[in-house]
């Protein structure tokens, strides 16, 4: 994706801010805890905070949180739903905070939109020495051979988080990243075969390059680095995956998928046709045809330390 296309996609969400707030999932608390574990203190910046999905989890975990979001409509939704949060207009490339003012910077489904040639030094500026940068992504779990089998995610707690914790793969051969397990020990929650069908039916606008576990592992190994080869601001990455899930109906899943950037920039006739294909597909599957079901997900995390 070139710079112009990235800007088009990253700026598309404001038109769907209300639907985004209603239908996008939160983040597995175990994943957020792991992201923050090495931080020296409780001061956290949620960067590219959107409507506050990650912000709310940070607050629930007791973090001293400030949110920064560039889109006015998204920021308005965040302020409406979380009026107690200090929420500021700004971007990863121009953060409205003083030097060394936060212990960690987290980005929920946002790090891939940043121009790291500019954002990397800017993030490093607001972090304390040795501070933590972590990107978190909710990915749809289409892997059916892990623990939990094809039955999806069981045992969701009231926060929408799968009981237990994430998976350990050992050293990562791609990009030199280390893989770490969650508190529940090795293993990964099982996905569902029907999830892989969403990509076939909806295409890359619905299930993009970072939206499945295998795709995320391939696409984000160097997400903390500038594409220009500028001097590194951060050390070697660690990555981990944590079971998660979201209760959905066919209608609410379609509504959630409609808030993806690829769908938002799609011409309206093509968008309607794509959503209709997804509805038909979900109606054809016994797992999703009637009532509520769990969309099996992982919250995947990349964590680095400021040099």
């Amino acid at each position: 994706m070139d710079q112009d296309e990235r800007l088009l996609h990253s700026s598309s969400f404001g038109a769907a801010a209300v639907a985004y707030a209603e239908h996008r999932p939160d983040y597995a608390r175990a994943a957020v805890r792991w992201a923050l574990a090495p931080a020296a203190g409780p001061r956290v910046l949620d960067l590219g905070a959107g409507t506050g999905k990650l912000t709310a989890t940070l607050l629930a975990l007791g973090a001293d949180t400030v949110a920064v979001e560039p889109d006015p409509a998204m920021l308005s939704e965040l302020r409406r739903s979380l009026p107690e949060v200090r929420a500021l207009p700004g971007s990863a490339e121009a953060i409205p905070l003083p030097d060394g003012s936060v212990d960690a910077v987290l980005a929920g489904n946002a790090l891939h939109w940043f121009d790291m040639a500019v954002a990397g030094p800017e993030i490093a500026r607001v972090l304390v020495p040795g501070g933590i940068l972590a990107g978190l992504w909710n990915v749809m779990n289409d892997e059916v051979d892990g623990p939990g089998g094809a039955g999806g995610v069981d045992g969701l707690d009231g926060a929408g988080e799968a009981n237990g914790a994430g998976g350990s793969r050992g050293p990562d051969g791609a990009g030199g990243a280390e893989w770490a397990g969650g508190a529940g020990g090795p293993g990964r929650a099982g996905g569902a075969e029907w999830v892989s069908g969403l990509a076939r039916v909806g295409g890359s606008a619905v299930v993009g390059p970072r939206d499945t576990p295998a795709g995320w592992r391939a696409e984000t190994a160097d997400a903390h680095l500038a594409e220009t080869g500028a001097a590194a601001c951060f050390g070697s990455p660690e990555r981990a995956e944590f079971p998660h899930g979201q209760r959905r109906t066919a209608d609410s899943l379609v509504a959630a998928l409609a808030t993806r950037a690829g769908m938002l920039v799609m011409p309206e006739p093509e968008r309607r046709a794509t959503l209709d294909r997804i509805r038909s597909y979900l109606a054809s599957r016994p797992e999703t045809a009637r009532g509520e079901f769990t969309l099996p997900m992982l919250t995947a995390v990349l964590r680095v330390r400021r040099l």
Side-chain angles (χ1 to χ4, degrees):
M1 185 180 294
D2 64 27
Q3 189 65 28
D4 289 342
E5 190 177 6
R6 179 184 296 175
L7 179 61
L8 175 66
H9 281 69
S10 66
S11 62
S12 66
F13 298 107
V18 174
Y20 193 109
E22 180 178 358
H23 294 294
R24 285 295 188 104
D26 61 2
Y27 294 85
R29 290 189 183 185
V32 181
R33 291 189 192 101
W34 185 84
L36 293 175
R43 300 171 301 168
V44 180
L45 166 60
D46 183 0
L47 186 58
T51 61
K53 295 293 183 176
L54 178 57
T55 315
T57 303
L58 288 166
L59 291 178
L61 294 177
D64 179 7
T65 306
V66 58
V68 168
E69 165 56 36
D71 188 278
M74 300 287 273
L75 184 62
S76 177
E77 278 297 310
L78 191 159
R79 288 170 167 165
R80 183 192 62 77
S81 62
L82 298 169
E84 70 275 26
V85 173
R86 183 185 175 205
L88 306 174
S91 69
E93 296 76 20
I95 302 171
L97 294 177
D99 296 0
S101 57
V102 295
D103 302 296
V105 174
L106 269 59
N109 277 83
L111 189 64
H112 54 278
W113 298 126
F114 300 168
D115 177 0
M116 289 303 291
V118 181
E122 183 69 350
I123 292 168
R125 178 187 67 79
V126 301
L127 280 169
V128 298
I132 297 300
L133 167 64
L136 296 90
W137 289 263
N138 280 321
V139 302
M140 292 185 285
N141 192 1
D142 60 355
E143 297 183 336
V144 298
D145 56 349
V153 179
D154 296 322
L156 294 176
D157 67 19
E161 178 180 341
N163 295 327
S168 173
R169 294 204 328 150
D172 179 15
E178 290 268 328
W179 286 83
R188 184 176 291 117
E193 189 276 333
W194 67 265
V195 174
S196 62
L198 288 173
R200 294 192 298 270
V201 172
S204 61
V206 172
V207 181
R210 291 168 300 275
D211 292 334
T212 62
W216 176 81
R217 294 171 202 137
E219 291 288 326
T220 63
D222 297 327
H224 60 295
L225 300 176
E227 294 178 2
T228 58
C233 298
F234 305 97
S236 298
E238 301 171 281
R239 293 193 289 175
E241 299 169 1
F242 298 83
H244 198 31
Q246 186 185 28
R247 295 297 289 172
R248 296 277 83 185
T249 64
D251 286 343
S252 65
L253 178 54
V254 169
L257 296 175
T259 68
R260 291 177 175 267
M263 296 297 297
L264 294 172
V265 301
M266 188 179 286
E268 186 57 28
E270 183 181 352
R271 184 173 185 269
R272 285 197 302 267
T274 301
L275 295 176
D276 285 345
R277 287 198 306 272
I278 295 169
R279 288 189 187 93
S280 296
Y281 172 73
L282 294 174
S284 75
R285 297 289 308 207
E287 305 95 331
T288 58
R290 293 183 180 84
E292 286 195 339
F293 53 87
T294 296
L295 173 64
M297 299 188 300
L298 300 171
T299 297
V301 189
L302 180 146
R303 181 178 73 187
V304 291
R305 189 183 293 272
R306 180 196 152 183
L307 294 175

